[in-house]
Amino acid sequence: MSISHLLDDFSTGAEDHNISISDVSLEEQRLEAFESGYKAGWEDAVKAGSNDSARISSDFAANLQDISFTFQEAQSGLLTALHPLLISMIDSILPKLARQTLGTRLVETLKKMAHSAVEGSIEIITAPQNIEALEKIIDEQEIDNVRIAAEPSLGQGQIHIRVNNEEREIDLDAVLAQIDKTLTGFFEDRQKEIA
């Protein structure tokens, strides 16, 4: 027994459905298919390119943030390590340097004021612990008409000089205090930024 009665027969009427396509319309369909394929490919490429661009931009921003954070960590570590050293310098080395240069500053100031001192005497007022060192400097520089007086309320880095009506002040203590204040403020500001 055959199963042909279960299957459709397409052989009849096949001649009735001849489809004819001219060469021109076949070429137009090919061009249309090419154009639609080209457009689809172009759209896919643009979409892939923008996705890659967005991913690269995102990765770049994340890397810059990592670098910035690493730089801030390194800077913070360096400042934390330098803080005790700088404070130590302000507390111990700078006062010693100030005391050593006090005489030089005094001589420079006296030379500037020398024109006014032709007719009068020079009065130097300083802390008691500076008297001996200043007398030695005045003798070495062979400056005449100088009177040195002690004032206990003055610090070691302070000197007042009077010549006739002109008065000058050398205050290395104030300079050191300002350096200390500036440095302390700097470290406090950096700690706030890091936090």
PDB file of all heavy atoms in Angstrom, residues 48-62:
ATOM      1  N   ALA A  48      28.820  48.894  17.698  1.00  0.00           N
ATOM      2  CA  ALA A  48      29.977  48.263  18.340  1.00  0.00           C
ATOM      3  C   ALA A  48      31.048  49.314  18.662  1.00  0.00           C
ATOM      4  O   ALA A  48      31.662  49.284  19.728  1.00  0.00           O
ATOM      5  CB  ALA A  48      30.559  47.169  17.452  1.00  0.00           C
ATOM      6  N   GLY A  49      31.250  50.265  17.732  1.00  0.00           N
ATOM      7  CA  GLY A  49      32.234  51.324  17.959  1.00  0.00           C
ATOM      8  C   GLY A  49      31.846  52.214  19.129  1.00  0.00           C
ATOM      9  O   GLY A  49      32.690  52.577  19.958  1.00  0.00           O
ATOM     10  N   SER A  50      30.574  52.578  19.227  1.00  0.00           N
ATOM     11  CA  SER A  50      30.149  53.430  20.344  1.00  0.00           C
ATOM     12  C   SER A  50      30.211  52.662  21.662  1.00  0.00           C
ATOM     13  O   SER A  50      30.555  53.222  22.697  1.00  0.00           O
ATOM     14  CB  SER A  50      28.747  53.996  20.106  1.00  0.00           C
ATOM     15  OG  SER A  50      27.781  52.970  20.101  1.00  0.00           O
ATOM     16  N   ASN A  51      29.904  51.375  21.628  1.00  0.00           N
ATOM     17  CA  ASN A  51      30.032  50.557  22.841  1.00  0.00           C
ATOM     18  C   ASN A  51      31.487  50.478  23.283  1.00  0.00           C
ATOM     19  O   ASN A  51      31.797  50.600  24.477  1.00  0.00           O
ATOM     20  CB  ASN A  51      29.468  49.149  22.632  1.00  0.00           C
ATOM     21  CG  ASN A  51      27.950  49.127  22.542  1.00  0.00           C
ATOM     22  OD1 ASN A  51      27.286  50.090  22.909  1.00  0.00           O
ATOM     23  ND2 ASN A  51      27.405  48.039  22.029  1.00  0.00           N
ATOM     24  N   ASP A  52      32.403  50.284  22.310  1.00  0.00           N
ATOM     25  CA  ASP A  52      33.833  50.237  22.627  1.00  0.00           C
ATOM     26  C   ASP A  52      34.316  51.580  23.164  1.00  0.00           C
ATOM     27  O   ASP A  52      35.082  51.639  24.126  1.00  0.00           O
ATOM     28  CB  ASP A  52      34.658  49.862  21.390  1.00  0.00           C
ATOM     29  CG  ASP A  52      34.582  48.372  21.075  1.00  0.00           C
ATOM     30  OD1 ASP A  52      34.087  47.615  21.925  1.00  0.00           O
ATOM     31  OD2 ASP A  52      35.028  47.981  19.978  1.00  0.00           O
ATOM     32  N   SER A  53      33.843  52.666  22.530  1.00  0.00           N
ATOM     33  CA  SER A  53      34.230  54.006  22.961  1.00  0.00           C
ATOM     34  C   SER A  53      33.749  54.277  24.382  1.00  0.00           C
ATOM     35  O   SER A  53      34.504  54.812  25.205  1.00  0.00           O
ATOM     36  CB  SER A  53      33.660  55.046  22.001  1.00  0.00           C
ATOM     37  OG  SER A  53      33.963  56.337  22.434  1.00  0.00           O
ATOM     38  N   ALA A  54      32.523  53.902  24.679  1.00  0.00           N
ATOM     39  CA  ALA A  54      31.986  54.099  26.028  1.00  0.00           C
ATOM     40  C   ALA A  54      32.768  53.268  27.046  1.00  0.00           C
ATOM     41  O   ALA A  54      33.089  53.743  28.136  1.00  0.00           O
ATOM     42  CB  ALA A  54      30.508  53.741  26.070  1.00  0.00           C
ATOM     43  N   ARG A  55      33.100  52.031  26.684  1.00  0.00           N
ATOM     44  CA  ARG A  55      33.852  51.161  27.581  1.00  0.00           C
ATOM     45  C   ARG A  55      35.258  51.711  27.811  1.00  0.00           C
ATOM     46  O   ARG A  55      35.745  51.763  28.944  1.00  0.00           O
ATOM     47  CB  ARG A  55      33.941  49.741  27.002  1.00  0.00           C
ATOM     48  CG  ARG A  55      34.686  48.753  27.900  1.00  0.00           C
ATOM     49  CD  ARG A  55      34.891  47.401  27.229  1.00  0.00           C
ATOM     50  NE  ARG A  55      35.493  47.473  25.911  1.00  0.00           N
ATOM     51  CZ  ARG A  55      36.792  47.671  25.672  1.00  0.00           C
ATOM     52  NH1 ARG A  55      37.636  47.816  26.652  1.00  0.00           N
ATOM     53  NH2 ARG A  55      37.255  47.724  24.440  1.00  0.00           N
ATOM     54  N   ILE A  56      35.905  52.184  26.736  1.00  0.00           N
ATOM     55  CA  ILE A  56      37.259  52.739  26.858  1.00  0.00           C
ATOM     56  C   ILE A  56      37.231  54.002  27.720  1.00  0.00           C
ATOM     57  O   ILE A  56      38.081  54.190  28.591  1.00  0.00           O
ATOM     58  CB  ILE A  56      37.859  53.025  25.461  1.00  0.00           C
ATOM     59  CG1 ILE A  56      38.184  51.689  24.759  1.00  0.00           C
ATOM     60  CG2 ILE A  56      39.097  53.903  25.554  1.00  0.00           C
ATOM     61  CD1 ILE A  56      38.557  51.835  23.302  1.00  0.00           C
ATOM     62  N   SER A  57      36.228  54.866  27.503  1.00  0.00           N
ATOM     63  CA  SER A  57      36.116  56.086  28.306  1.00  0.00           C
ATOM     64  C   SER A  57      35.909  55.748  29.777  1.00  0.00           C
ATOM     65  O   SER A  57      36.510  56.360  30.660  1.00  0.00           O
ATOM     66  CB  SER A  57      34.955  56.959  27.820  1.00  0.00           C
ATOM     67  OG  SER A  57      35.201  57.422  26.528  1.00  0.00           O
ATOM     68  N   SER A  58      35.069  54.768  30.025  1.00  0.00           N
ATOM     69  CA  SER A  58      34.798  54.348  31.406  1.00  0.00           C
ATOM     70  C   SER A  58      36.067  53.776  32.051  1.00  0.00           C
ATOM     71  O   SER A  58      36.396  54.117  33.186  1.00  0.00           O
ATOM     72  CB  SER A  58      33.680  53.316  31.425  1.00  0.00           C
ATOM     73  OG  SER A  58      33.497  52.794  32.701  1.00  0.00           O
ATOM     74  N   ASP A  59      36.773  52.926  31.311  1.00  0.00           N
ATOM     75  CA  ASP A  59      38.023  52.349  31.826  1.00  0.00           C
ATOM     76  C   ASP A  59      39.070  53.438  32.081  1.00  0.00           C
ATOM     77  O   ASP A  59      39.779  53.418  33.090  1.00  0.00           O
ATOM     78  CB  ASP A  59      38.595  51.315  30.854  1.00  0.00           C
ATOM     79  CG  ASP A  59      37.762  50.045  30.792  1.00  0.00           C
ATOM     80  OD1 ASP A  59      36.863  49.881  31.653  1.00  0.00           O
ATOM     81  OD2 ASP A  59      37.999  49.225  29.879  1.00  0.00           O
ATOM     82  N   PHE A  60      39.154  54.403  31.157  1.00  0.00           N
ATOM     83  CA  PHE A  60      40.114  55.481  31.285  1.00  0.00           C
ATOM     84  C   PHE A  60      39.807  56.322  32.519  1.00  0.00           C
ATOM     85  O   PHE A  60      40.714  56.668  33.291  1.00  0.00           O
ATOM     86  CB  PHE A  60      40.107  56.350  30.019  1.00  0.00           C
ATOM     87  CG  PHE A  60      41.149  57.425  30.008  1.00  0.00           C
ATOM     88  CD1 PHE A  60      42.496  57.109  29.941  1.00  0.00           C
ATOM     89  CD2 PHE A  60      40.783  58.761  30.076  1.00  0.00           C
ATOM     90  CE1 PHE A  60      43.463  58.089  29.938  1.00  0.00           C
ATOM     91  CE2 PHE A  60      41.739  59.754  30.067  1.00  0.00           C
ATOM     92  CZ  PHE A  60      43.079  59.420  29.992  1.00  0.00           C
ATOM     93  N   ALA A  61      38.534  56.647  32.719  1.00  0.00           N
ATOM     94  CA  ALA A  61      38.138  57.438  33.893  1.00  0.00           C
ATOM     95  C   ALA A  61      38.456  56.681  35.180  1.00  0.00           C
ATOM     96  O   ALA A  61      38.948  57.266  36.154  1.00  0.00           O
ATOM     97  CB  ALA A  61      36.654  57.772  33.826  1.00  0.00           C
ATOM     98  N   ALA A  62      38.201  55.377  35.182  1.00  0.00           N
ATOM     99  CA  ALA A  62      38.498  54.574  36.377  1.00  0.00           C
ATOM    100  C   ALA A  62      40.006  54.538  36.637  1.00  0.00           C
ATOM    101  O   ALA A  62      40.450  54.651  37.785  1.00  0.00           O
ATOM    102  CB  ALA A  62      37.962  53.164  36.207  1.00  0.00           C
TER     103      ALA A  62
END
